[in-house]
Amino acid sequence: MSRKQWITLIVMLGIFVFFATTFSTSWITAFDSAVGDGIRTLRSDVLTPIFILITDMGEFLQVLIVGIVFALFAIFVLKLRWKIVIMAAAVLCSLGTNRLLKAFFARPRPTVEHLSFADGYSFPSGHAMISTTFYGLLGFLLWQYFKEHGKPVLARCILVVTIIWTILICVSRIYLGVHFPSDILAGAALGFAWFIAATAVMEKVKR
């Protein structure tokens, strides 16, 4: 792992630890309320079904379906066999870690109106964590492949779309009222930590 990757990993873990140790404080509560209320003021009959559709793409079943389709494409077309194995391992680790942390912190979900069904505990956000790992690695592999095959414009477009898509999934959880902003930031930080770890391993593995 390079020095830059180590620094990024430490920063992401630091962000998670920060929110894990402060989410019950009055000033984080005020932060969650201010940001959450601000995002929820955007609720409308037009945006709500769009955000429900977006948030559904972060559900386990949809991630599994997209993952299987991408895995088949990557294995048989892009020839990225071992990288897909690493990607799958990282996503499963992200999922498992999230389940354990939710049970440990046992933070109740926001008491505002929920526009989408959500059960279990709130911290850290599973959607933010798993989507950051999964869609991040999916976009990374496509970006890397097209960059290496002389299509830098397409590679950059994939990178931008991946970032925007992941952010939209994260924001959708706040918009729908099922997560606090601090849940999202903590989850995304840990998801990105798994992303960094996976890409570091991928650099050591041949296709």
Side-chain angles (χ1 to χ4, degrees), residues 39-40 43 47-56 112-117 169 171-179:
I39 291 175
R40 287 188 291 274
R43 285 179 173 180
L47 285 179
T48 296
I50 294 174
F51 274 114
I52 289 176
L53 178 62
I54 291 171
T55 210
D56 283 347
V112 299
E113 180 187 8
H114 293 184
L115 300 184
S116 178
F117 174 76
I169 291 177
V171 171
S172 74
R173 305 304 285 169
I174 304 172
Y175 176 94
L176 297 171
V178 295
H179 273 296

Side-chain angles (χ1 to χ4, degrees), residues 135-150:
Y135 288 111
L137 288 172
L138 189 157
F140 170 79
L141 290 178
L142 290 176
W143 168 80
Q144 188 177 61
Y145 177 84
F146 288 115
K147 182 181 178 182
E148 292 175 353
H149 287 75

Side-chain angles (χ1 to χ4, degrees), residues 45-147:
D45 293 337
V46 175
L47 285 179
T48 296
I50 294 174
F51 274 114
I52 289 176
L53 178 62
I54 291 171
T55 210
D56 283 347
M57 293 306 296
E59 296 285 351
F60 176 76
L61 179 59
Q62 281 79 355
V63 167
L64 180 62
I65 293 172
V66 174
I68 291 173
V69 173
F70 177 71
L72 293 173
F73 173 74
I75 290 172
F76 294 107
V77 179
L78 306 184
K79 310 299 182 183
L80 302 175
R81 295 178 181 85
W82 282 107
K83 290 186 178 182
I84 289 300
V85 173
I86 295 168
M87 176 181 174
V91 173
L92 289 174
C93 287
S94 185
L95 174 63
T97 304
N98 182 261
R99 295 290 175 84
L100 291 173
L101 290 172
K102 279 181 179 287
F104 178 80
F105 290 104
R107 185 187 195 184
R109 291 186 182 272
T111 55
V112 299
E113 180 187 8
H114 293 184
L115 300 184
S116 178
F117 174 76
D119 59 357
Y121 295 115
S122 189
F123 184 91
S125 166
H127 274 67
M129 189 169 171
I130 297 164
S131 294
T132 301
T133 304
F134 174 69
Y135 288 111
L137 288 172
L138 189 157
F140 170 79
L141 290 178
L142 290 176
W143 168 80
Q144 188 177 61
Y145 177 84
F146 288 115
K147 182 181 178 182

